[in-house]
Amino acid sequence: MTIAVVVFPGTNCEHDARYALALLGSHAELVWHRDDDLSGATGVVLPGGFAHGDYLRTGAIARFSPVMAEVERLARQGTPTLGICNGFQILCEAGLLPGALVANRDLRFICRTVTVRVESTDSILTSHTSVGDLLQIPLNSYEGNYVLPAAIDGAPSPNVVLRYCDSSGASGKQMNPNGSTDSIAAVADANGTIVGVMPHPERAVEDILGSTDGRVLLESFVSATASVVA
Amino acid sequence: MTIQDKPDHQRLGMTDDEYDAVIDLLGRTPRTAELAMYSVMWSEHCSYKSSRVHLGKFRSDQPWVVVGPGENAGVVDLGDGWLAALRIESHNHPSFVEPHEGAATGVGGILRDIFTMGARPIALWDPLRFGPLDDPHNRYLLDGVVSGIAGYGNAVGVPTLGGEVEFADRFSRNPLVNVMALGLMKREQLVLSAASGVGNIAVLLGNATGRDGIGGASILASASFEAGDEEKRPNVQVGDPFEEKKLIEACLELYDRGLVVAIQDLGAAGISCATSETAGNGGMGMDVDIDAVHVREPGMTPGEILMSESQERMLAIVTPEHVEDVLAIAARWEIDASQIGTITDGPDLRVFAEGRLVAEVPAASLADDAPRYDRPYERPCYLNALWDSEPAIPDEIDVAKTLNLLLDDPAIGDRSWISSQYDHTLFLNTVIEPGHDGSLLRIKGTHKGMAVSTDGDSLRTYLDPRRGAARIVFESALNVAVTGAQPYALVDNLNFGNPENPEVMWQFVEATDGLAWACEELNVPVVGGNVSFYNQTDGVDIYPAPVVGMLGFCDPMPDRPPRLDRAEQGMGIWLIGQEASDDFSGSAYDRIINGTLRGRPLDVDGATARELIASVVEMAFDVPVLHDVSVGGLAVALAEIAFVSGTGFRVDDVSGRELFDETPLRVVAITHERDLETSVPRRRIGTMGGDQLGFGAAGSMDLSAARRIWADALPRRMR
Amino acid sequence: MKHTFSVTIERRSGLSDPEGATASRALTDLGFAGVHSVSFGKVISIELEADTAQEAATQVEAMCRKLLANPVIENYTIENVS
Amino acid sequence: MKHTFSVTIERRSGLSDPEGATASRALTDLGFAGVHSVSFGKVISIELEADTAQEAATQVEAMCRKLLANPVIENYTIENVS
Ligand SMILES: Nc1ncnc2c1ncn2[C@@H]1O[C@H](COP(=O)(O)OP(=O)(O)O)[C@@H](O)[C@H]1O
Ligand SMILES: [Mg+2]
């Protein structure tokens, strides 16, 4: 197998993720959430959507899907694991990333292209970028507001990968679309191999769609998977 | 006489004549469940009894039409085996009762119409009409409707690519919520609703059946209707986008694997409608076992189960040897399924509960034998007074002051407060997103593109239903043409007041004449539509509000289609098409500045329209910006380009009157070229650049200040 | 004087409750075999200033009617928890 | 035996509560001048089969820990309302 794109009931960005990866010359396979064998996967993508209808809490039910035990096993052994939007929410619920995602500050769904700034290149999503790079990526979420209780207490500060900012690179309350803690748009685990990102890099891969800034992010991910010996 | 004393059929909204027709047809008095079925299937909503005699004027015999009106959605041929399915539907009343759930279930319903045909739903549009936003209840309705569409559309995973919105007092007690959907498929995936094959099995897929939306039937079902009972019988339907998403995937897989003979979604009148339509359309009968239906709550009567409008359900007709596969696919997608019926050689639909026959009616009669009314119509007397006066327009208009007021209008100001709540980038097809004219989608793996614009104009249609309706067709055609797409097919949603009022019926007849005429002029087939009558509250009818959804098609699609944000410093501004000719009736100027509504809007010449549209489609392949002049006239069209591109402009020799005039068939083009290669009339009126909206002698405005007003028009009211 | 009220809002019975049904299935999948049904509601806690408890209650009642609950699909109950 | 439990889930204090903040603003706008604060929680009502109330409570506790609440941001309380 190559890259596994996990499909939960309610997932809706799986074809987009696979399409974008294919544009970059990479092959991905869709994996149903009841499958419990991901051996051979060189990378895992949890794509966006509304797994299990987002009922109860976004990501809450999905994390118990049979496939998640495998996702967790691979992630913990360092296989590049990328959660986009709903996938980010699922990784947090599963405890693979710190924090949680709650409703946007204004309690409205947000669909617009935002600017994000690269904060760290030490991740499978940003290894091909430079710190300070500004990227235009579509944001599409209702629960994109990242909270990180200081009270999970004594936890090391997270490995922030991307922050929301304005076109000059400045962050702050005004430029924060959804109320996310410290304007965080993407975080990684300590190793940088598990990443959750709220905006959708796979929606910014062709000129005709308005931006190609997502390519460098997905290229980073693809090249990380290339070095995995599955 | 109280409602309890009335005979059953009257309580269900049936006239005595209609009841007699049922008796004639059956040769006996109907059983309880049968009466419930006829009452719903013969209702205005299901049978189109007041409109059908007029809908024949729409043409759909163009060679690219694969499926015309009558099926769940219209289907057109895009070449190379690709088909597009389109459909529009209203959810006006439910959205007034409960805006969030009403609008949400409207989205769910229209999507089912699309995937019933075999197509994957790929986009939605939402034409909306509300009362003025200074009334908090209207704000509540707008907020709820938008959150309902967002909540359902985003979660089910179908992007909403645009829509439109109008505000007028007549919609305060009767908002209009229309939804249009577009689907895409390969030819071999097309499925229709006509059942065939004696012994084939009807499989009910999806949600469990509950007491949702049971109106008439529940009154009948309980011999005594006591206060407090309504608790048990909610009329409000609750949508479940998660179930629908699974249902979409399951059905598409069924089609892919060729496992269904026919399929039908469950809408109004639920199981009774879906079973009778599939059987009736195929000239067959069906035996239905009510006890096999998977239900949500115990104790439902057969009548309730038959009539329930629980959402997210489909009825598939399957050959016996494929039943196991169908059930397996349902199980894999985690949806429930039950075998509820068997196709017979007919002609009757027979319904059994606990082994007892509870209904036995000719299947086709529910749809085909519905009454038809050629209702009297009469030109309204209000028209004379309206036509005898003209909007008062001064010779000198203070452009800055006027434009500021127009930009602050919530129907002119930036509508991204609405569209940004909708996912409009899913599926990686969106080339032109909401905020321009038509939205444009590519078809991946081809050079083809599809553009869609939804348009209505209730004020002009009120002033002159024929012209008003025709003009929205031409406007929608221009909206798709500016993206490079040829007007290709149309669906219409006819929202009107009470058809028993001859003046409303006259509006309807005139408006449908206007629509049919305009479509013929453009050679655009009408492939489907929806009629919503009785939009009337306390005796006040809404403004007549026909709405169209125009599909445009291009092959190839322009490499870089025109966009408002491609305007740059130094580009020339051109006005293409007709010259302004003082068309202020129904204009934004008259509505907002004068606060009046009068006069008679201009007519459109078909040949002029055809010529303009053809040249605009051609220009779209090299002109960076094309934007039609519509609400608010040239001034608003130019301002929108400036706001979206961030570049100011200066136009010369355009008078205040010309700036706000709303003469149709005009387009702004912006380009670096020294001339425009086109045969239609054109005139260079100015140049892009600077940080002002410059109107020459007529004055100027600061770009960023004007932009703030425009951007905040809707949000400031909704805060 | 400060008062604290707790308002519980529940979906009217008979309306379909996709969230409850989904959670119930998830719990069963997780091995909680005995689950019959799960239903979701909201609880809103409101702190407000009013001269008397009676007046505060009247206000909370009005808040529910006007904003907090949707009478078409929801029922509410109010409790003084000061 | 059937038991009914009511689980109340509240956002941990100190964390932002956009729903509460929005409702509080809306109530003030509507003229309820005395509103100090509003906070939102969920109440989940669970019907389940278990031999004893004790066993049922243990199960509900496990449901909360595993699925119903997210300890990173939420607290829960359980009540037997059979
Ligand atoms: N209710 C709505 N939902 C989504 N998008 C909307 C809505 N109303 C307007 N829009 C978008 O705003 C833009 C301008 O709308 P409109 O002024 O009606 O366009 P036009 O005058 O070209 O018909 C369009 O892209 C349209 O899709
Ligand atoms: Mg336009």
Side-chain angles (χ1 to χ4, degrees):
Chain A
M1 194 197 286
T2 48
I3 296 171
V5 175
V6 178
V7 184
F8 300 92
T11 295
N12 57 36
C13 300
E14 70 274 28
H15 299 291
D16 294 0
R18 188 158 71 152
Y19 174 90
L21 291 169
L23 265 189
L24 303 180
S26 180
H27 180 73
E29 271 175 44
L30 303 186
V31 177
W32 184 236
H33 78 123
R34 297 224 175 256
D35 291 353
D36 51 11
D37 181 11
L38 292 185
S39 46
T42 57
V44 177
V45 176
L46 303 186
F50 290 73
H52 295 277
D54 267 1
Y55 292 137
L56 184 57
R57 243 180 3 261
T58 166
I61 299 177
R63 70 155 291 204
F64 290 107
S65 278
V67 75
M68 284 304 289
E70 275 290 275
V71 171
E72 192 166 340
R73 180 180 68 81
L74 292 177
R76 299 237 186 256
Q77 76 186 27
T79 307
T81 302
L82 176 61
I84 303 171
C85 197
N86 193 221
F88 184 6
Q89 294 158 347
I90 296 169
L91 289 176
C92 288
E93 278 284 337
L96 291 168
L97 288 173
L101 288 139
V102 302
N104 293 338
R105 181 187 48 214
D106 296 337
L107 296 181
R108 296 190 194 286
F109 190 92
I110 298 173
C111 172
R112 67 183 167 88
T113 297
V114 295
T115 308
V116 292
R117 187 181 63 232
V118 174
E119 300 290 308
S120 154
T121 57
D122 191 12
S123 86
I124 49 134
L125 190 67
T126 47
S127 58
H128 289 201
T129 63
S130 308
V131 169
D133 282 357
L134 301 183
L135 305 171
Q136 300 273 316
I137 314 281
L139 178 67
N140 271 273
S141 45
Y142 184 83
E143 271 128 343
N145 180 350
Y146 184 65
V147 292
L148 190 69
I152 35 171
D153 313 79
S157 58
N159 188 352
V160 178
V161 176
L162 300 172
R163 278 206 167 85
Y164 302 109
C165 63
D166 66 12
S167 56
S168 70
S171 289
K173 190 160 182 263
Q174 305 293 321
M175 311 77 161
N176 184 337
N178 51 22
S180 211
T181 303
D182 293 336
S183 295
I184 291 173
V187 288
D189 70 332
N191 298 324
T193 55
I194 309 174
V195 176
V197 57
M198 191 40 56
H200 289 262
E202 84 282 12
R203 298 192 187 188
V205 290
E206 285 169 286
D207 263 327
I208 190 112
L209 303 177
S211 168
T212 54
D213 291 355
R215 288 184 89 114
V216 66
L217 300 177
L218 294 180
E219 277 160 9
S220 303
F221 173 70
V222 166
S223 77
T225 65
S227 56
V228 171
V229 188
Chain B
M1 182 158 72
T2 70
I3 186 146
Q4 265 86 358
D5 301 330
K6 285 189 180 174
D8 286 346
H9 68 272
Q10 286 184 11
R11 281 168 29 198
L12 292 171
M14 239 185 187
T15 67
D16 294 344
D17 286 345
E18 289 168 351
Y19 183 63
D20 290 342
V22 173
I23 294 176
D24 273 355
L25 200 148
L26 297 178
R28 57 178 166 79
T29 54
R31 300 178 176 93
T32 305
E34 292 166 346
L35 183 59
M37 287 158 72
Y38 280 102
S39 74
V40 181
M41 291 295 292
W42 286 12
S43 68
E44 189 66 56
H45 179 76
C46 293
S47 74
Y48 293 83
K49 58 191 170 191
S50 304
S51 58
R52 185 137 286 172
V53 295
H54 300 284
L55 299 179
K57 47 185 135 167
F58 295 134
R59 274 188 54 192
S60 60
D61 52 358
Q62 284 81 347
W64 58 92
V65 177
V66 179
V67 178
E71 277 282 345
N72 291 293
V75 177
V76 291
D77 191 341
L78 307 177
D80 304 312
W82 291 98
L83 304 179
L86 56 158
R87 163 89 178 167
I88 194 165
E89 177 78 81
S90 60
H91 238 219
N92 302 336
H93 189 69
S95 303
F96 184 51
V97 176
E98 212 311 281
H100 181 96
E101 296 300 342
T105 50
V107 170
I110 191 92
L111 294 176
R112 287 192 292 284
D113 283 327
I114 297 293
F115 69 84
T116 298
M117 303 299 298
R120 175 178 285 279
I122 59 167
L124 290 159
W125 287 263
D126 68 333
L128 308 175
R129 284 169 172 75
F130 298 96
L133 292 181
D134 45 18
D135 178 341
H137 193 68
N138 293 333
R139 295 200 292 270
Y140 161 78
L141 290 173
L142 171 62
D143 197 47
V145 164
V146 170
S147 77
I149 293 168
Y152 201 102
N154 298 342
V156 76
V158 178
T160 302
L161 294 193
E164 43 133 18
V165 60
E166 249 193 312
F167 300 98
D169 50 0
R170 295 274 182 105
F171 301 116
S172 278
R173 307 286 311 278
N174 200 319
L176 300 184
V177 176
N178 297 172
V179 204
M180 176 183 169
L182 177 69
L184 185 66
M185 68 184 130
K186 295 307 290 255
R187 183 175 279 275
E188 52 283 8
Q189 284 159 329
L190 179 67
V191 224
L192 299 177
S193 63
S196 61
V198 172
N200 282 347
I201 307 295
V203 181
L204 182 65
L205 298 162
N207 244 341
T209 298
R211 287 193 174 91
D212 311 74
I214 300 173
S218 66
I219 301 176
L220 255 196
S222 60
S224 66
F225 189 57
E226 291 154 22
D229 268 8
E230 64 271 26
E231 266 287 302
K232 279 183 264 158
R233 306 200 165 80
N235 262 300
V236 178
Q237 302 155 24
V238 174
D240 181 1
F242 176 50
E243 185 73 19
E244 179 112 329
K245 168 69 176 167
K246 295 186 292 181
L247 201 51
I248 293 175
E249 300 302 334
C251 288
L252 293 179
E253 188 173 337
L254 293 179
Y255 311 149
D256 255 0
R257 299 195 23 203
L259 293 177
V260 297
V261 175
I263 194 158
Q264 172 72 26
D265 62 307
L266 278 76
I271 293 176
S272 68
C273 179
T275 52
S276 64
E277 280 191 355
T278 43
N281 288 350
M284 311 298 286
M286 195 188 299
D287 284 354
V288 177
D289 176 11
I290 281 299
D291 303 322
V293 173
H294 52 286
V295 293
R296 194 174 70 226
E297 40 195 327
M300 292 179 68
T301 66
E304 286 178 320
I305 295 174
L306 270 177
M307 306 314 294
S308 158
E309 297 185 2
S310 286
Q311 300 289 299
E312 292 96 19
R313 297 179 299 163
M314 302 283 279
L315 186 75
I317 309 297
V318 180
T319 60
E321 65 269 25
H322 284 148
V323 168
E324 282 311 309
D325 290 340
V326 169
L327 298 181
I329 288 177
R332 181 178 124 83
W333 286 103
E334 303 175 19
I335 57 177
D336 290 331
S338 43
Q339 304 176 48
I340 66 160
T342 311
I343 301 295
T344 64
D345 56 7
D348 287 346
L349 174 70
R350 300 193 301 169
V351 181
F352 298 88
E354 292 169 353
R356 237 164 11 93
L357 185 66
V358 296
E360 181 174 29
V361 302
S365 71
L366 288 163
D368 298 352
D369 295 338
R372 281 184 194 194
Y373 297 126
D374 192 353
R375 297 202 185 270
Y377 51 93
E378 186 184 306
R379 186 176 181 278
C381 23
Y382 70 78
L383 271 184
N384 288 342
L386 289 175
W387 287 4
D388 281 347
S389 64
E390 280 292 314
I393 309 297
D395 286 330
E396 296 293 319
I397 294 178
D398 181 338
V399 173
K401 199 171 133 210
T402 304
L403 188 51
N404 270 335
L405 289 168
L406 261 52
L407 295 175
D408 184 45
D409 183 75
I412 293 179
D414 185 11
R415 264 133 306 153
S416 62
W417 182 87
I418 300 176
S419 57
S420 69
Q421 295 188 50
Y422 304 148
D423 185 343
H424 49 72
T425 49
L426 180 68
F427 294 156
L428 313 185
N429 298 329
T430 311
V431 175
I432 298 188
E433 71 283 6
H436 301 258
D437 291 304
S439 14
L440 179 65
L441 303 90
R442 62 159 174 187
I443 301 179
K444 287 196 282 288
T446 74
H447 296 287
K448 301 175 199 292
M450 292 186 283
V452 170
S453 174
T454 58
D455 291 278
D457 186 347
S458 66
L459 300 188
R460 268 192 197 90
T461 309
Y462 177 69
L463 291 175
D464 186 330
R466 180 183 297 256
R467 291 183 181 179
R471 280 176 62 159
I472 61 176
V473 174
F474 294 115
E475 182 182 349
S476 64
L478 264 189
N479 279 332
V480 301
V482 296
T483 70
Q486 191 74 48
Y488 201 62
L490 181 134
V491 287
D492 64 85
N493 205 334
L494 306 172
N495 306 282
F496 286 80
N498 185 344
E500 293 159 41
N501 172 353
E503 299 195 346
V504 168
M505 208 53 216
W506 181 86
Q507 294 171 334
F508 182 82
V509 172
E510 285 285 304
T512 46
D513 276 347
L515 287 177
W517 170 77
C519 288
E520 264 193 62
E521 286 296 308
L522 298 178
N523 196 26
V524 169
V526 179
V527 296
N530 173 254
V531 180
S532 169
F533 274 132
Y534 296 100
N535 290 294
Q536 177 202 51
T537 305
D538 298 337
V540 180
D541 293 299
I542 57 161
Y543 289 130
V547 170
V548 300
M550 176 73 82
L551 172 70
F553 174 55
C554 46
D555 188 8
M557 191 176 80
D559 290 336
R560 294 193 68 199
R563 295 176 55 95
L564 304 191
D565 51 12
R566 290 180 60 199
E568 289 169 14
Q569 170 111 8
M571 287 180 171
I573 305 173
W574 298 75
L575 185 60
I576 301 171
Q578 319 203 97
E579 283 296 324
S581 41
D582 258 352
D583 185 25
F584 282 95
S585 297
S587 68
Y589 188 98
D590 196 34
R591 174 172 62 88
I592 297 164
I593 309 297
N594 295 338
T596 61
L597 176 63
R598 55 190 176 190
R600 187 173 186 201
L602 282 186
D603 208 352
V604 171
D605 173 57
T608 312
R610 271 196 305 279
E611 228 182 298
L612 178 69
I613 289 163
S615 3
V616 165
V617 169
E618 220 170 281
M619 275 188 273
F621 284 76
D622 25 59
V623 175
V625 182
L626 285 171
H627 185 26
D628 72 316
V629 176
S630 60
V631 183
L634 183 58
V636 167
L638 290 169
E640 286 169 341
I641 295 169
F643 298 153
V644 177
S645 68
T647 313
F649 59 79
R650 182 187 164 92
V651 296
D652 295 301
D653 296 332
V654 185
S655 73
R657 285 178 78 111
E658 277 178 276
L659 282 168
F660 295 105
D661 177 295
E662 295 186 15
T663 300
L665 299 184
R666 296 186 303 151
V667 174
V668 174
I670 295 182
T671 176
H672 274 306
E673 301 301 319
R674 311 209 30 196
D675 195 2
L676 283 173
E677 304 225 350
T678 174
S679 54
V680 291
R682 63 195 182 281
R683 171 161 72 103
R684 179 161 172 159
I685 56 170
T687 309
M688 294 302 297
D691 56 6
Q692 299 284 306
L693 312 183
F695 298 101
S700 71
M701 302 162 74
D702 181 54
L703 168 61
S704 51
R707 191 182 189 288
R708 266 197 302 278
I709 294 173
W710 172 80
D712 212 27
L714 197 45
R716 82 173 174 85
R717 290 176 165 89
M718 296 307 293
R719 263 195 286 274
Chain C
M1 230 175 83
K2 200 143 100 181
H3 308 264
T4 310
F5 282 74
S6 167
V7 175
T8 307
I9 298 183
E10 272 158 338
R11 180 160 296 198
R12 284 175 55 176
S13 64
L15 285 177
S16 80
D17 175 11
E19 181 160 29
T22 307
S24 167
R25 228 173 301 124
L27 286 169
T28 309
D29 282 356
L30 275 178
F32 297 102
V35 175
H36 277 294
S37 77
V38 178
S39 69
F40 279 76
K42 272 185 283 204
V43 43
I44 309 176
S45 140
I46 304 170
E47 266 183 40
L48 77 167
E49 198 63 46
D51 290 343
T52 64
Q54 180 50 43
E55 196 200 306
T58 313
Q59 282 202 29
V60 172
E61 168 75 33
M63 291 176 195
C64 287
R65 259 185 295 110
K66 278 194 148 158
L67 181 77
L68 300 176
N70 177 351
V72 180
I73 51 174
E74 293 169 335
N75 294 324
Y76 58 86
T77 51
I78 298 175
E79 199 187 341
N80 186 338
V81 293
S82 304
Chain D
M1 231 175 82
K2 200 143 101 182
H3 307 265
T4 310
F5 281 74
S6 168
V7 175
T8 306
I9 297 182
E10 273 158 338
R11 183 73 47 100
R12 283 174 58 177
S13 62
L15 292 180
S16 78
D17 173 12
E19 264 191 298
T22 305
S24 169
R25 228 176 305 122
L27 287 170
T28 309
D29 284 356
L30 276 177
F32 297 102
V35 175
H36 277 295
S37 76
V38 180
S39 70
F40 271 72
K42 270 187 283 203
V43 40
I44 309 178
S45 142
I46 304 171
E47 266 183 39
L48 77 167
E49 199 62 45
D51 289 343
T52 64
Q54 180 51 42
E55 195 200 308
T58 313
Q59 282 204 29
V60 173
E61 170 74 32
M63 292 176 195
C64 287
R65 256 185 297 108
K66 266 197 136 167
L67 180 73
L68 300 177
N70 178 350
V72 177
I73 48 170
E74 294 167 334
N75 295 323
Y76 59 85
T77 51
I78 298 175
E79 200 187 341
N80 185 339
V81 292
S82 304

